[in-house]
């Protein structure tokens, strides 16, 4: 139950408990928010485990609600997923993240090697126009495709394996990098993983939480590190909050880390400041 908690919203269908009227209101609210530019993108640093240098940032969406304040994804992503608005919203996040990376690079040589990660939802991943959207976002920002990493979850891959594989290969042909998010919380088999053009494995926070005190979690993370090495995929540990966790994960050989210890999700301007600090580049 502990491991399912964080991702529970992904399988919770909000339409099940909402009246038709509430559903229509939600949709109208989200549409209004999109039209009135109420969404924001925050960026969280991903660092090299050994040097602590920022190698990438993950784009994380927020809703600057006129009445309720800054809302996190748990307040609206599942609704947007259910009513389909996640497709235009996700496209907006993608375009925002690409143009922001181009802007950081134009403003500072410290951002030259920086990459950006963007989350895809299940619905976006199934959307037939995805590959064109990604290509257009890159072209309009003038960004090389290898600067963009798209994050998808295991469950998205398992839903329809054949189509998922085709989509991944089409994205790979574009030249973007692919990451499996929340790794370990789904059920992807090893033989299946081997067939996928995946560059990065992101180890879910639930395996990181007690890794400094729980030998079982050490064994699990160690196994994923070995898997990454065998399949030539980079590993990222998510949700690192303490130096004890960092220490343990670094010794296991995890390549990159993400978490409050290194930095919370912040505005684009704060990332620019962070990059200017000599120790971060
Ligand atoms: P995720 O993709 O697994 O993103 C990591 C989440 O963990 C983020 O929450 C981040 O703020 C949080 N986090 C990072 N480090 C730590 C830490 O050290 N401790 C703790 N307690 N939390 C940490 P956030 O921003 O609330 O996003 C939640 C989820 O919403 C994301 O999980 C992702 O699944 C979804 N999401 C966010 N932005 C987007 C988006 O643009 N599109 C889609 N489709 N989903 C998004
Ligand atoms: Ca993610
Ligand atoms: Ca994750
Ligand atoms: Ca997650």
């Amino acid at each position: 139950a502990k491991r399912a908690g964080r991702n529970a919203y992904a399988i919770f269908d909000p339409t099940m408990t909402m009246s038709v009227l509430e559903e229509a209101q939600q949709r109208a609210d989200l549409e209004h928010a999109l039209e009135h530019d109420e969404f924001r993108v925050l960026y969280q640093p991903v660092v090299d485990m050994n040097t602590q240098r920022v190698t990438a940032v993950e784009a994380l969406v927020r809703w600057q609600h006129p009445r309720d304040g800054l809302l996190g994804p748990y307040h609206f992503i599942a609704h947007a997923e259910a009513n389909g608005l996640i497709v235009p919203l996700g496209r907006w996040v993608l375009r925002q993240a690409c143009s922001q990376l181009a802007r950081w690079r134009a403003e500072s040589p410290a951002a030259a090697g920086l990459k950006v990660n963007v989350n895809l939802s299940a619905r976006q991943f199934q959307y037939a126009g995805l590959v064109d959207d990604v290509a257009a976002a890159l072209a309009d920002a003038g960004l090389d495709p290898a600067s963009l990493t798209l994050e998808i979850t295991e469950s998205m891959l398992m839903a329809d394996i054949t189509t998922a594989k085709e989509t991944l290969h089409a994205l790979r042909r574009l030249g973007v990098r692919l990451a499996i998010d929340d790794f370990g919380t789904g059920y992807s088999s090893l033989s299946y993983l081997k067939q996928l053009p995946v560059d990065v494995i992101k180890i879910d926070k639930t395996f990181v939480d007690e890794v400094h005190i729980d030998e079982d979690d050490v064994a699990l993370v160690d196994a994923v590190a070995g898997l990454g090495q065998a399949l030539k995929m980079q590993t990222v540990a998510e949700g690192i909050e303490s130096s004890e966790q960092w220490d343990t994960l670094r010794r296991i050989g995890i390549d990159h880390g993400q978490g409050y210890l290194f930095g919370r999700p912040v505005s684009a301007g704060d990332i620019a400041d962070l990059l200017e600090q000599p120790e971060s580049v």
Side-chain angles (χ1 to χ4, degrees), residues 2-63:
K2 183 188 112 191
R3 294 204 204 281
R6 272 177 72 247
N7 297 299
Y9 84 99
I11 46 171
F12 165 71
D13 178 358
T15 59
M16 274 166 36
T17 54
M18 284 171 87
S19 71
V20 174
L21 245 164
E22 284 172 322
E23 230 179 280
Q25 187 59 51
Q26 257 296 333
R27 190 190 164 91
D29 286 352
L30 285 169
E31 257 171 346
H32 181 274
L34 254 177
E35 275 161 24
H36 291 80
D37 237 13
E38 290 174 7
F39 291 101
R40 304 282 176 268
V41 181
L42 298 184
Y43 299 89
Q44 185 180 32
V46 178
V47 306
D48 181 297
M49 274 302 234
N50 293 310
T51 64
Q52 238 192 119
R53 285 181 190 175
V54 181
T55 56
V57 290
E58 178 174 1
L60 295 161
V61 71
R62 299 289 182 267
W63 181 1

Side-chain angles (χ1 to χ4, degrees), residues 22 119 209 215 229 248:
E22 284 172 322
N119 292 286
D209 285 340
E215 283 302 319
Q229 243 161 26
T248 309

